[in-house]
Amino acid sequence: MTHPTPQTMGQQFGRRSWAEPWKIKMVEPLRVTTREERERALAEAGYNTFLLRSEDVYIDLLTDSGTNAMSDRQWAAIMLGDEAYAGSRNFYRLEATIQQYYGYRYVVPTHQGRGAEHLISRAAIRPGQYVPGNMYFTTTRLHQELAGGIFVDVIIDEAHDPQSLHPFKGNVDLDKLEALIRREGAQNIAYVSLAGTVNMAGGQPVSMANVRAVRSLCDRYGVRIFLDATRMIENAFFIQEREEGYANRSIAEILKEFCSYTDGAWMSAKKDALVNIGGWLAVNDAELFDELRNLVVVYEGLHTYGGLAGRDMEAMAVGIEESVQDDYIRARIGQVRYLGELLTDWDIPIVQPVGGHAIFLDARRFYPHIPQREFPAQTLAAELYLDSGIRSMERGIASAGRDPKTGDHYYPKLELTRLTIPRRVYTQAHMDVVAEAVKAVYDARAQTRGLRMVYEPKYLRFFQARFERLA
């Protein structure tokens, strides 16, 4: 069975169009600025789109984290908040929902995903241990390094090639993983850090066959697997669409099977769970859970609220239920693909295949004349804002940071600018505007020059770094 997508429905039904499976009940007005206003705003922000004021942005594609539109059911759930300091009924509702759909036994709420990353890193990493993963994510790797861990990339080589059409570019390379375990010893592997729909690779998924094989390999050596489940709903969609034997399985069934091959997970609920704030950490081991439940009191809040209001936990529980609906996730990824196909038709270089949450512009091919040390992806984000007031973000050398031993820049193979689509926020018409803006910037690419970093924070520099134009 092949599920219809926005691209295939036009073929199936002739002239009949596809539309989102929701209707608009409330609108938020947007402000359109002049180019002169945008030039001034960008200069004040140090050419860093993170430092722009949201009121100066027309279409905000900086991130899909916490920028979702909540449903009427979620807003109704807000009114059911039990704001007791201890034992809120909303926590028990959230706990039961996570257990039902993700399958883990023990749940710890956190204020957002990086709170959960911090806790699992402190509890599960001994200084000097290695943490193999299918490509790094910025906050995840930093928490692992702050806990004394050493991150090692064990993703398949195709993930580093933006033009590769491999259907599961998020897969772990089993040979790389086993070689690391044998070389360093299983006792020196903290855990495998597995991410669904790998963000830094362009939102690329992991296959069910691969996670099953990783589980088998880790069982042989006694190594645990912890999952970044932040965008696992999107990963489940790609498995349903691309992997043999899953076309007739529901998103909820695929999600639970995938999680069953791991020992625990953390999640930024600001993505798949369709809320504006929140996260959680869940494990199957009672001893580990006891330590996590103790640590959360120190860093986040009591173990039955973890830094969240009761109303936020209730809205999150409803969001999880909505996120596993097949019609919802087809529409969510369909909108991303719509934008991707517009850009592909104009021969604009993007990461292929199109991922689940964003379009990743290939800044290396976009600006072949700008060397990586001059921040081509950051430059592209700045130029796109100047053209149309569209905010995107860099995922290249600035995000990669520096090697803590040498102090040199990391030079990642992928130098990308991310157009991240918030869930249930923008229409197809907004996607048309974005595509036309990207084309305008692409057409003017030969005259574009790079940037120089003039301020660099110690940690996660891409959030607050400042740049200036090169002459």
Side-chain angles (χ1 to χ4, degrees):
M1 174 183 176
T2 301
H3 296 288
T5 67
Q7 291 69 40
T8 61
M9 286 187 74
Q11 301 166 8
Q12 284 181 265
F13 303 117
R15 296 178 62 84
R16 298 185 66 176
S17 298
W18 166 87
E20 294 84 356
W22 39 262
K23 62 182 180 180
I24 296 167
K25 183 174 289 189
M26 182 178 72
V27 297
E28 178 182 347
L30 298 174
R31 174 170 172 256
V32 180
T33 56
T34 66
R35 185 176 179 94
E36 182 181 20
E37 289 173 325
R38 294 194 294 274
E39 287 176 346
R40 184 167 56 250
L42 192 61
E44 290 175 355
Y47 294 86
N48 186 343
T49 52
F50 275 97
L51 301 180
L52 290 167
R53 295 182 179 220
S54 65
E55 63 189 17
D56 294 326
V57 174
Y58 174 37
I59 299 176
D60 201 343
L61 307 184
L62 183 74
T63 181
D64 61 334
S65 180
T67 58
N68 310 296
M70 293 203 300
S71 70
D72 53 357
R73 292 179 65 244
Q74 287 178 288
W75 281 110
I78 290 284
M79 301 306 296
L80 300 177
D82 172 10
E83 306 308 339
Y85 184 87
S88 166
R89 66 173 177 270
N90 307 125
F91 164 73
Y92 295 106
R93 160 102 152 92
L94 175 63
E95 178 186 52
T97 304
I98 294 169
Q99 290 168 339
Q100 177 182 351
Y101 290 105
Y102 289 84
Y104 302 109
R105 290 182 193 150
Y106 307 111
V107 176
V108 176
T110 60
H111 79 282
Q112 62 179 39
R114 70 194 61 173
E117 291 171 342
H118 173 220
L119 296 181
I120 192 66
S121 298
R122 282 188 63 101
I125 298 173
R126 296 195 312 274
Q129 283 189 312
Y130 292 86
V131 187
N134 56 339
M135 200 174 284
Y136 79 97
F137 183 67
T138 50
T139 58
T140 313
R141 186 181 69 186
L142 178 62
H143 282 119
Q144 291 166 351
E145 290 175 347
L146 290 174
I150 304 166
F151 175 80
V152 180
D153 188 359
V154 293
I155 203 167
I156 60 174
D157 291 341
E158 289 87 346
H160 296 283
D161 179 2
Q163 299 181 72
S164 169
L165 295 178
H166 192 293
F168 291 102
K169 289 164 73 172
N171 280 357
V172 169
D173 186 314
L174 299 174
D175 292 335
K176 290 180 184 178
L177 176 58
E178 186 164 24
L180 175 69
I181 296 172
R182 287 186 170 183
R183 183 175 69 248
E184 304 298 339
Q187 73 280 5
N188 292 317
I189 307 297
Y191 55 85
V192 173
S193 181
L194 182 70
T197 47
V198 180
N199 192 350
M200 303 299 284
Q204 301 298 317
V206 180
S207 72
M208 193 72 79
N210 186 249
V211 69
R212 195 181 296 122
V214 173
R215 175 77 273 167
S216 178
L217 175 62
C218 287
D219 283 346
R220 293 208 307 270
Y221 290 97
V223 174
R224 295 179 295 189
I225 304 169
F226 293 121
L227 173 67
D228 181 347
T230 295
R231 295 185 179 89
M232 267 308 305
I233 307 298
E234 295 168 7
N235 200 108
F237 171 87
F238 288 120
I239 290 173
Q240 185 188 68
E241 181 184 65
R242 299 175 183 174
E243 194 160 358
E244 185 177 355
Y246 287 92
N248 293 316
R249 300 276 298 280
S250 71
I251 294 296
E253 290 172 323
I254 295 168
L255 172 67
K256 198 163 187 178
E257 180 185 345
F258 195 103
C259 292
S260 74
Y261 299 118
T262 68
D263 298 291
W266 67 87
M267 183 184 191
S268 170
K270 297 163 68 176
K271 282 82 166 178
D272 270 353
L274 298 165
V275 289
N276 305 127
I277 196 69
W280 52 261
L281 177 60
V283 296
N284 291 326
D285 181 80
E287 186 176 345
L288 176 60
F289 169 65
D290 191 57
E291 184 172 1
L292 294 169
R293 185 169 58 170
N294 190 212
L295 283 174
V296 76
V297 176
V298 178
Y299 293 105
E300 300 281 313
L302 196 66
H303 61 278
T304 52
Y305 78 90
L308 293 170
R311 56 183 175 269
D312 295 322
M313 291 189 284
E314 191 71 22
M316 194 191 310
V318 175
I320 290 171
E321 292 172 346
E322 293 180 352
S323 72
V324 299
Q325 295 172 4
D326 289 50
D327 287 345
Y328 153 73
I329 192 61
R330 287 184 211 127
R332 191 279 188 281
I333 293 180
Q335 187 176 52
V336 178
R337 284 180 170 169
Y338 176 82
L339 175 58
E341 289 190 354
L342 289 175
L343 298 176
T344 301
D345 287 345
W346 290 331
D347 295 322
I348 294 172
I350 66 173
V351 172
Q352 298 283 2
V354 170
H357 69 290
I359 297 300
F360 289 74
L361 304 174
D362 186 350
R364 280 183 185 274
R365 287 188 288 153
F366 213 103
Y367 294 134
H369 60 287
I370 299 179
Q372 196 172 20
R373 66 180 179 276
E374 295 178 4
F375 306 97
Q378 189 75 41
T379 299
L380 179 49
E383 292 298 319
L384 188 58
Y385 174 75
L386 280 177
D387 179 85
S388 303
I390 295 167
R391 178 156 63 170
S392 57
M393 74 167 293
E394 183 268 3
R395 276 293 180 234
I397 185 173
S399 291
R402 294 184 184 272
D403 186 319
K405 293 182 178 178
T406 67
D408 294 335
H409 293 299
Y410 285 119
Y411 286 89
K413 292 181 180 179
L414 296 176
E415 182 73 17
L416 309 174
T417 302
R418 191 180 77 181
L419 306 171
T420 329
I421 314 302
R423 296 161 183 82
R424 304 190 297 202
V425 172
Y426 293 116
T427 66
Q428 302 286 82
H430 288 106
M431 297 302 102
D432 291 334
V433 171
V434 172
E436 291 164 10
V438 173
K439 187 177 188 304
V441 172
Y442 187 62
D443 290 343
R445 64 193 181 280
Q447 291 76 44
T448 304
R449 295 296 175 263
L451 298 170
R452 165 173 73 184
M453 187 181 290
V454 295
Y455 169 69
E456 180 177 357
K458 183 177 181 180
Y459 300 119
L460 299 173
R461 64 184 186 178
F462 65 94
F463 282 126
Q464 297 173 324
R466 301 182 72 85
F467 304 83
E468 64 181 17
R469 285 189 182 279
L470 288 168

